[in-house]
């Protein structure tokens, strides 16, 4: 089979390699769509945990083409998406139901071979039947699961006014989920006109250009927002979340900042407003919810995919993601599924 192989940071090739054999308890999947995300960019650049060489790709869906010994729940021909974060079930964190902090964590596309390949093997216990959901949509199960985990912490209530800073693919998922939670108003902010337009179409009652500062976003909710979400990971934007929340409000830092980034927060402001500041790390049993939201159309992802590229164009996909004017979600589509 063909696979994208990152040999070492910034050294990538599309290689011919043997098709994996599903081990006991595993299924073999013919990959139909695999999203390219920030984590893949970090692995490509050598900024993330992970052993090299590695086949990246953790946001994927495809068709079961083989099953290993002892697999009962799936058969050849089933259409599936996979939760890539694999926990051991036996450590202290798994024991308290916080599997996302598993001490023996593994992830498809990070510590074991991923889905930027024609075939990928995955534990059947991590796979979910997608029914007739299109593969391109089902490949959003993982990023949407992460969004749902964060939004559960933010706990948006009926009738609230929610601000989402950043209208990239993740911001647009966050905005749609905020609306599904019953927010009366979802305001989305970005500096790119095309993203603001899409925000209005998919999620936002109001979309604000923050190219000239955060004043216009603040004016939309003079007393402050009930809930504010950063979906950028940019320190200067993260700093604003504290200013834009109302007294007694909640903040979610969802965007991933570079690991050496530093933000300036006044603890007194957090105290005076009595803010709850949340973060969110991967997801925790949110796959079923994510698939149901995608199936119901409450969360729409069809407009988020701007590029569908063959495996050979992985490096072009990485370059596209560096330009927010040019791309939203880029998916790799292995041979035969274009
Ligand atoms: Zn991802
Ligand atoms: Zn564990």
């Amino acid at each position: 089979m063909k696979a994208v192989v990152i040999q070492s940071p910034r050294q990538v090739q599309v290689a011919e390699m043997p098709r994996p054999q599903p081990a006991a308890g595993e299924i073999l999947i013919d990959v139909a769509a695999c999203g390219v995300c920030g984590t893949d960019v970090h692995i490509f650049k050598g900024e993330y945990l992970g052993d090299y060489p590695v086949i990246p790709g953790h946001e994927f869906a495809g068709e079961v083409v083989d099953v290993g010994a002892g697999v009962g729940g799936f058969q050849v021909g089933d259409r599936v998406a996979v939760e890539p974060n694999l926990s051991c079930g036996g450590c202290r964190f798994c024991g308290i139901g916080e599997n996302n902090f598993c001490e023996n964590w593994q992830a498809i596309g990070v510590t074991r071979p991923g889905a930027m390949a024609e075939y990928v093997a995955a534990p059947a216990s991590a796979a979910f039947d997608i029914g007739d959901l299109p593969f391109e949509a089902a490949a959003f199960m993982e990023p949407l699961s992460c969004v749902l985990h964060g939004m559960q912490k933010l706990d948006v209530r009926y009738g609230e006014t929610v601000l989402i800073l950043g209208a990239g693919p993740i911001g647009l998922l966050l905005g749609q989920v905020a609306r599904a939670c019953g927010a009366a108003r979802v305001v989305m902010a970005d500096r790119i006109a095309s993203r603001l337009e899409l925000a209005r179409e998919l999620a936002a009652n109001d979309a604000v250009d923050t190219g000239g500062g955060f004043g216009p976003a603040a004016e939309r909710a003079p007393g402050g927002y009930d809930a504010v979400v950063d979906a950028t990971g940019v320190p200067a934007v993260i700093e604003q979340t504290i200013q834009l929340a109302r007294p007694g409000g909640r903040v979610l830092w969802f965007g991933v900042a570079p690991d050496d980034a530093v933000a300036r927060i006044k603890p007194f402001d957090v105290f005076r407003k009595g803010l709850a500041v949340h973060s969110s790390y991967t997801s925790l049993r949110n796959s079923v919810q994510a698939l149901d939201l995608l199936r119901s159309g409450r969360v729409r992802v069809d407009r988020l995919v701007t590029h569908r590229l063959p495996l050979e164009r992985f490096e072009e996909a990485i370059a596209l993601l560096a330009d927010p004017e040019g791309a939203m979600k880029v998916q790799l589509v292995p041979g035969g599924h274009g």
Side-chain angles (χ1 to χ4, degrees), residues 74 90 95 102 122 183 190 295:
F74 292 98
C102 175
D190 205 293
R295 247 185 232 118

Side-chain angles (χ1 to χ4, degrees), residues 103-125:
E103 289 170 357
N104 305 301
W105 172 85
Q106 296 275 315
I108 296 167
V110 182
T111 66
R112 50 180 278 169
M116 290 184 188
E118 289 179 285
Y119 300 92
V120 63
S125 58

Side-chain angles (χ1 to χ4, degrees), residues 17 26 29 43 47-48 85 100 111 114 135 139 167 175 191 197-198 242 261 271 276 279 301 305 312 315 321 334:
M17 54 197 331
E26 289 186 349
I29 298 161
I43 294 171
E47 299 164 346
Y48 198 64
N85 293 290
N100 53 334
T111 66
F135 291 123
R191 322 165 65 129
E197 205 171 299
L198 201 50
I242 305 300
F271 154 74
S279 63
V301 294
V305 181
E312 288 77 3
E315 285 193 81
L321 292 179

Side-chain angles (χ1 to χ4, degrees), residues 48-132:
Y48 198 64
L49 32 129
D51 304 321
Y52 300 89
V54 64
I55 300 174
H58 59 275
E59 303 179 357
F60 64 100
E63 187 176 318
V64 177
V65 290
D66 197 2
V67 297
V71 172
F74 292 98
Q75 49 195 354
V76 170
D78 285 348
R79 305 170 82 253
V80 295
V82 173
E83 163 55 54
N85 293 290
L86 308 175
S87 55
C88 74
C91 74
R92 171 183 170 78
F93 288 101
C94 289
I96 58 171
E98 297 185 15
N99 302 52
N100 53 334
F101 300 117
C102 175
E103 289 170 357
N104 305 301
W105 172 85
Q106 296 275 315
I108 296 167
V110 182
T111 66
R112 50 180 278 169
M116 290 184 188
E118 289 179 285
Y119 300 92
V120 63
S125 58
F128 294 81
D129 196 316
I130 62 169
D132 57 5

